[in-house]
């Protein structure tokens, strides 16, 4: 059984930083896949925040470019999201995702990030 366990969410003041982690356990082929972070605020659709391939190619939503950094440790099947210069509009539940198109698509349970003074 595949599980994605997220950690690192919490409450932070505007301008602060948080680092999210997501560890993938279980039998899963970690090659040729995408690992990423999505977020969903109340009343809004889930949106892609950042994604990284096995080879390290990255994608960022325009709203987080220059502030967030995604990375992964393939040996540990773990993906990270370093979030700097946080804004109140970054407040959301953040979800970890790992997908190998046509093969599997798994999600974490979500972790709350709240940016408020």
């Amino acid at each position: 059984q595949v599980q994605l366990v997220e950690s690192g969410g919490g409450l932070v003041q505007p301008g602060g930083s948080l680092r999210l982690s997501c560890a993938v356990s279980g039998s899963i082929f970690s090659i040729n896949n995408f690992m990423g972070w999505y977020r969903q605020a109340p009343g809004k659709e889930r949106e892609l925040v950042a994604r990284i391939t096995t080879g390290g190619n990255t994608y960022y939503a325009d709203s987080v470019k220059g502030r967030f950094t995604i990375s992964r440790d393939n040996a540990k099947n773990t993906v990270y999201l370093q979030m700097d210069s946080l804004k109140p509009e970054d407040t959301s539940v953040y979800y970890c995702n790992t997908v190998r198109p046509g093969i599997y698509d798994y999600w974490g349970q979500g972790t709350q990030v709240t940016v408020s003074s």
Side-chain angles (χ1 to χ4, degrees):
Q1 184 177 357
V2 177
Q3 283 189 314
L4 279 66
V5 179
E6 298 138 335
S7 60
L11 173 65
V12 64
Q13 292 186 343
S17 297
L18 283 175
R19 189 190 193 213
L20 304 182
S21 299
C22 173
V24 181
S25 63
S27 298
I28 188 170
F29 289 107
S30 62
I31 59 172
N32 297 328
N33 70 0
F34 298 93
M35 298 187 80
W37 293 92
Y38 289 72
R39 66 186 181 187
Q40 187 169 21
K44 294 187 176 181
E45 294 187 355
R46 189 172 296 189
E47 62 174 350
L48 175 62
V49 176
R51 188 169 60 189
I52 186 169
T53 67
T54 308
N57 293 318
T58 58
Y59 163 85
Y60 295 95
D62 287 343
S63 58
V64 306
K65 280 182 182 177
R67 301 188 297 121
F68 290 11
T69 304
I70 189 170
S71 60
R72 64 187 286 173
D73 185 331
N74 291 330
K76 296 182 179 179
N77 256 351
T78 300
V79 63
Y80 307 95
L81 187 67
Q82 177 66 41
M83 304 186 294
D84 298 317
S85 302
L86 282 161
K87 304 175 181 180
E89 51 263 44
D90 294 318
T91 296
S92 281
V93 178
Y94 283 72
Y95 296 90
C96 176
N97 169 258
T98 183
V99 58
R100 189 175 180 188
I103 305 298
Y104 59 75
D105 187 359
Y106 297 109
W107 292 86
Q109 80 286 354
T111 185
Q112 177 70 45
V113 171
T114 302
V115 185
S116 175
S117 55

